[in-house]
Amino acid sequence: MKRVEILNVPIHAVSQHEAVEALIGFLNQDKLMKVYTPNPEIVMLAQADEGLLNILKDGDLVVPDGIGLIMASKLKGLGLKERVTGVDLTHRLLSYCGNSKKSVFILGGKPDVPEKAAENIENKYNGIKIAGTQHGYFKQEENEEIINSINSSKADVLFVCLGAPRQEIWIDDNKDKLNCRIAIGLGGGVDIYAGTAKRAPMAYQKLGLEWFYRLMKEPKRYKRMLLLPKFLVEFLIKG
Ligand code: UDP
């Protein structure tokens, strides 16, 4: 799979369909595959954090989950195909897992949120098994116990919803201890599945204005969003 560098972060130039095909392939590998879904905010964080940059470089599938990355790619003709969000990817992966009896563990979100997400997923995707859940507000001392419960659940796929960059760092720190096939950093995806947050209506998504919808719903995000123009300027200067 071709990778495109945006401010030194290599991102796979895949369509949603190709990304899902890659994930299905990962289910048949005998090792953990690390999947990251960066947006411009994370790319900017990685500029000031070499550890995070190296974690992203080491991802087995790194998809552009942010319209800003697609805009940047278009500005320089780099060839990113389309926005690939974690929720779109996992939606298709969950359908596949339901049909092929693969199971999923959900880590992250506030207490009760991953359980609610599990219930909704089990109602929506035929045949899917949620092997376990764990909220994301645990102490470092509890980490080993959490790894044990993920491994003993025998889950094939792990959704890691701890927010960025905590989830990317967590996946990297624990990659040698996890027995599942895929660990995917999914941010607020758990809230979408739980129904405690909503995606923008399709019209906004199609116009590339999902960020605008989120800004209207959660005006306190404006500071985070100011990073987007900063990201584009930095990208135009440095690439
Ligand atoms: N979260 C968590 N543990 C933490 C911090 C965040 O489980 O220590 C969860 C939070 O409850 C939310 C998800 O991570 O469900 C994503 O958080 P946020 O919306 O900040 O991240 P984004 O999706 O914007 O990257």
Coordinates of all heavy atoms in Angstrom, one line a residue, residues 150-182:
I150 N -8.4 -8.6 28.3 CA -8.5 -8.5 26.8 C -8.1 -9.9 26.2 O -8.7 -10.5 25.4 CB -7.7 -7.4 26.2 CG1 -8.3 -6.0 26.7 CG2 -7.7 -7.4 24.7 CD1 -7.4 -4.8 26.4
N151 N -6.9 -10.4 26.7 CA -6.4 -11.6 26.1 C -7.3 -12.8 26.5 O -7.5 -13.6 25.6 CB -4.9 -11.8 26.6 CG -4.0 -10.9 25.9 OD1 -4.3 -10.3 24.9 ND2 -2.8 -10.7 26.5
S152 N -7.8 -12.8 27.7 CA -8.6 -14.0 28.0 C -10.0 -14.0 27.3 O -10.6 -15.0 27.2 CB -8.7 -14.3 29.5 OG -9.1 -13.1 30.1
S153 N -10.4 -12.8 26.8 CA -11.6 -12.7 26.1 C -11.5 -13.3 24.7 O -12.4 -13.6 24.0 CB -12.1 -11.2 25.9 OG -11.4 -10.6 24.9
K154 N -10.2 -13.5 24.3 CA -9.9 -14.1 23.0 C -10.4 -13.2 21.8 O -10.8 -13.7 20.7 CB -10.4 -15.5 22.8 CG -9.8 -16.5 23.8 CD -9.8 -17.9 23.2 CE -8.9 -18.9 23.9 NZ -8.6 -18.7 25.3
A155 N -10.6 -11.9 22.1 CA -11.1 -11.0 21.0 C -10.1 -11.0 19.8 O -8.9 -11.1 20.0 CB -11.3 -9.6 21.6
D156 N -10.6 -10.9 18.6 CA -9.8 -10.8 17.4 C -9.4 -9.3 17.2 O -8.4 -9.0 16.6 CB -10.6 -11.3 16.2 CG -11.0 -12.7 16.4 OD1 -10.1 -13.6 16.2 OD2 -12.1 -13.0 16.7
V157 N -10.4 -8.4 17.5 CA -10.2 -7.0 17.2 C -10.4 -6.2 18.5 O -11.3 -6.5 19.3 CB -11.3 -6.5 16.2 CG1 -11.2 -5.0 16.0 CG2 -11.3 -7.3 14.9
L158 N -9.5 -5.2 18.7 CA -9.6 -4.3 19.9 C -9.8 -2.9 19.5 O -9.0 -2.3 18.7 CB -8.3 -4.5 20.7 CG -8.1 -3.5 21.9 CD1 -9.2 -3.9 23.0 CD2 -6.7 -3.7 22.5
F159 N -11.0 -2.3 19.9 CA -11.2 -0.9 19.7 C -10.6 -0.2 20.8 O -10.9 -0.4 22.0 CB -12.7 -0.6 19.7 CG -13.5 -1.1 18.5 CD1 -14.9 -0.9 18.4 CD2 -12.9 -1.8 17.4 CE1 -15.6 -1.4 17.3 CE2 -13.6 -2.2 16.3 CZ -15.0 -2.0 16.3
V160 N -9.7 0.8 20.6 CA -9.0 1.5 21.6 C -9.5 3.0 21.5 O -9.1 3.7 20.6 CB -7.5 1.4 21.5 CG1 -6.9 2.1 22.8 CG2 -7.1 0.0 21.4
C161 N -10.4 3.4 22.5 CA -11.0 4.7 22.4 C -10.7 5.5 23.6 O -11.5 5.8 24.5 CB -12.6 4.5 22.3 SG -13.1 3.3 21.1
L162 N -9.4 5.9 23.6 CA -8.9 6.7 24.8 C -8.6 8.1 24.5 O -8.0 8.8 25.3 CB -7.6 6.0 25.3 CG -7.7 4.5 25.8 CD1 -6.4 4.0 26.1 CD2 -8.7 4.4 27.0
G163 N -9.0 8.5 23.2 CA -8.7 9.9 22.8 C -7.2 9.9 22.3 O -6.4 9.1 22.8
A164 N -6.9 10.8 21.4 CA -5.6 11.0 20.9 C -4.8 12.0 21.7 O -5.4 13.0 22.2 CB -5.6 11.4 19.4
P165 N -3.5 11.8 22.0 CA -2.7 10.7 21.5 C -2.6 9.5 22.5 O -1.8 8.6 22.4 CB -1.3 11.3 21.4 CG -1.3 12.3 22.5 CD -2.7 12.8 22.7
R166 N -3.4 9.5 23.6 CA -3.3 8.5 24.6 C -3.5 7.1 24.0 O -2.8 6.1 24.3 CB -4.3 8.7 25.7 CG -4.1 7.8 26.9 CD -5.0 8.0 28.1 NE -4.8 6.9 29.0 CZ -5.7 6.4 29.8 NH1 -6.9 6.9 29.9 NH2 -5.5 5.4 30.6
Q167 N -4.5 7.0 23.1 CA -4.8 5.7 22.5 C -3.6 5.1 21.6 O -3.3 3.9 21.7 CB -6.1 5.7 21.7 CG -6.1 6.6 20.6 CD -7.4 7.1 20.1 OE1 -8.4 6.8 20.8 NE2 -7.5 7.7 19.0
E168 N -3.0 6.0 20.9 CA -1.8 5.6 20.0 C -0.7 5.1 20.9 O 0.0 4.1 20.7 CB -1.4 6.7 19.1 CG -2.3 7.1 18.0 CD -3.6 7.9 18.4 OE1 -3.6 8.4 19.5 OE2 -4.5 8.0 17.6
I169 N -0.4 5.9 22.0 CA 0.6 5.6 22.9 C 0.3 4.3 23.6 O 1.2 3.4 23.8 CB 0.9 6.7 23.9 CG1 1.3 8.0 23.2 CG2 1.8 6.3 25.0 CD1 1.3 9.3 24.0
W170 N -0.9 4.1 24.0 CA -1.3 2.8 24.7 C -1.1 1.6 23.8 O -0.6 0.6 24.3 CB -2.8 2.9 25.2 CG -3.2 1.8 26.1 CD1 -3.1 1.7 27.4 CD2 -3.7 0.5 25.7 NE1 -3.5 0.5 27.9 CE2 -3.9 -0.3 26.8 CE3 -4.0 0.0 24.4 CZ2 -4.4 -1.6 26.8 CZ3 -4.5 -1.4 24.4 CH2 -4.7 -2.1 25.5
I171 N -1.6 1.7 22.6 CA -1.4 0.6 21.6 C 0.1 0.3 21.5 O 0.5 -0.9 21.6 CB -2.0 0.9 20.3 CG1 -3.6 1.0 20.4 CG2 -1.6 -0.2 19.2 CD1 -4.3 1.5 19.1
D172 N 0.9 1.3 21.3 CA 2.3 1.1 21.1 C 3.0 0.4 22.4 O 3.7 -0.5 22.3 CB 3.0 2.4 20.8 CG 4.4 2.1 20.4 OD1 4.7 1.5 19.3 OD2 5.3 2.5 21.2
D173 N 2.6 1.0 23.5 CA 3.2 0.5 24.8 C 2.8 -1.0 25.0 O 3.6 -1.7 25.7 CB 2.6 1.2 26.0 CG 3.3 2.5 26.2 OD1 4.3 2.8 25.6 OD2 2.8 3.3 27.1
N174 N 1.7 -1.4 24.6 CA 1.2 -2.8 24.9 C 1.2 -3.7 23.7 O 0.7 -4.8 23.9 CB -0.2 -2.6 25.5 CG -0.2 -1.9 26.8 OD1 0.3 -2.3 27.8 ND2 -0.8 -0.6 26.8
K175 N 1.8 -3.3 22.6 CA 1.7 -4.1 21.4 C 2.3 -5.5 21.6 O 1.8 -6.5 20.9 CB 2.4 -3.4 20.2 CG 3.8 -3.1 20.4 CD 4.4 -2.3 19.2 CE 5.8 -2.1 19.2 NZ 6.3 -0.9 19.8
D176 N 3.3 -5.7 22.4 CA 3.9 -7.0 22.5 C 3.1 -7.9 23.5 O 3.5 -9.1 23.6 CB 5.4 -6.9 23.0 CG 6.2 -6.1 21.9 OD1 5.8 -6.3 20.7 OD2 7.1 -5.4 22.3
K177 N 2.2 -7.3 24.2 CA 1.5 -8.1 25.2 C 0.1 -8.6 24.7 O -0.5 -9.5 25.3 CB 1.2 -7.3 26.5 CG 2.5 -6.9 27.1 CD 2.2 -6.1 28.4 CE 3.4 -5.1 28.7 NZ 2.9 -3.9 29.4
L178 N -0.4 -7.9 23.7 CA -1.8 -8.2 23.2 C -1.8 -9.4 22.3 O -1.0 -9.5 21.4 CB -2.3 -7.0 22.5 CG -2.6 -5.7 23.4 CD1 -2.8 -4.5 22.5 CD2 -3.9 -6.0 24.2
N179 N -2.8 -10.2 22.4 CA -3.0 -11.4 21.6 C -4.0 -11.2 20.4 O -4.1 -12.1 19.7 CB -3.4 -12.6 22.4 CG -2.3 -13.1 23.3 OD1 -1.1 -12.8 23.0 ND2 -2.7 -13.8 24.3
C180 N -4.6 -10.1 20.4 CA -5.6 -9.9 19.3 C -4.9 -9.6 18.0 O -3.6 -9.5 17.9 CB -6.6 -8.8 19.6 SG -5.8 -7.3 20.2
R181 N -5.6 -9.6 16.9 CA -5.0 -9.4 15.5 C -4.9 -7.9 15.1 O -4.1 -7.5 14.4 CB -5.8 -10.1 14.5 CG -5.8 -11.6 14.7 CD -4.5 -12.2 14.3 NE -4.3 -13.5 14.8 CZ -3.7 -13.8 16.0 NH1 -3.2 -12.8 16.7 NH2 -3.6 -15.0 16.4
I182 N -6.0 -7.2 15.6 CA -6.0 -5.8 15.2 C -6.3 -4.9 16.4 O -7.2 -5.2 17.2 CB -7.2 -5.5 14.2 CG1 -7.0 -6.3 12.9 CG2 -7.4 -4.0 13.9 CD1 -8.2 -6.2 11.9

